[in-house]
Amino acid sequence: ETGVTQSPTHLIKTRGQQVTLRCSSQSGHNTVSWYQQALGQGPQFIFQYYREEENGRGNFPPRFSGLQFPNYSSELNVNALELDDSALYLCASSLSGGAPTDTQYFGPGTRLTVL
Amino acid sequence: AQSVSQHNHHVILSEAASLELGCNYSYGGTVNLFWYVQYPGQHLQLLLKYFSGDPLVKGIKGFEAEFIKSKFSFNLRKPSVQWSDTAEYFCAARGGGGNKLTFGTGTQLKVEL
């Protein structure tokens, strides 16, 4: 167990809807990264938050947005859901985003299905 | 573009066989390398990591990996696998000082009794 928790575990939405996924980071960690893992693929980096600021973004459209709170927990919001957004969404927490020795520890993920 | 390749998508071994999973990366400059494992029904767990220094890195559960800079490789090895090693294994890389992990597509390992 890494101490990283995510909610909900599973979610079913329809196209066009909006969704919010939540992540609580491991105690003492100030950085949260979000990844999308499609079936049969490795995780792909969406973005990272470090001390409440976005600290890097992958190749995802602006309808993927995030937030980090003062307690370092984080939300991932996806607007105007598309069928291709169906995936496992992973949150990873780490001690110091961007530091050379930063190591990310993953939560169990939220399985999103878009119908 | 930065990328990570895992050439073995599915591997089936008998217990006690030796394991080597390939991982190649394309990064310029300093690179940090990781192997993660995902056991059935569980979350991604860190097996081992390389930042600098000794290119032979030892991880948990008897796994090790060797960083060979000239070959842009970071292969995972275990001398004798167990049934409980059945899982999906992901290699990941990050440019030194960066924040984004780039993952390979994973290798599904099945160990038969």
Side-chain angles (χ1 to χ4, degrees), chain B residues 76-91:
Chain B
L76 181 71
R77 300 196 293 247
K78 186 172 184 178
S80 176
V81 294
Q82 300 173 307
W83 178 79
S84 58
D85 292 325
T86 294
E88 189 156 22
Y89 292 80
F90 292 93
C91 181

Side-chain angles (χ1 to χ4, degrees), chain A residues 34-54:
Chain A
W34 286 93
Y35 292 81
Q36 180 196 66
Q37 186 177 12
L39 209 58
Q41 300 295 318
Q44 290 200 33
F45 177 74
I46 303 174
F47 44 56
Q48 182 183 85
Y49 278 83
Y50 171 59
R51 293 185 174 180
E52 302 179 61
E53 297 286 332
E54 188 177 289

Side-chain angles (χ1 to χ4, degrees), chain A residues 35 48 55 98 100 102-104, chain B residues 32 36 49 94 97 99 101:
Chain A
Y35 292 81
Q48 182 183 85
N55 185 41
D102 195 46
T103 301
Q104 297 181 11
Chain B
N32 304 140
Y36 285 87
K49 59 189 176 184
R94 181 182 67 204
N99 49 23
L101 280 177

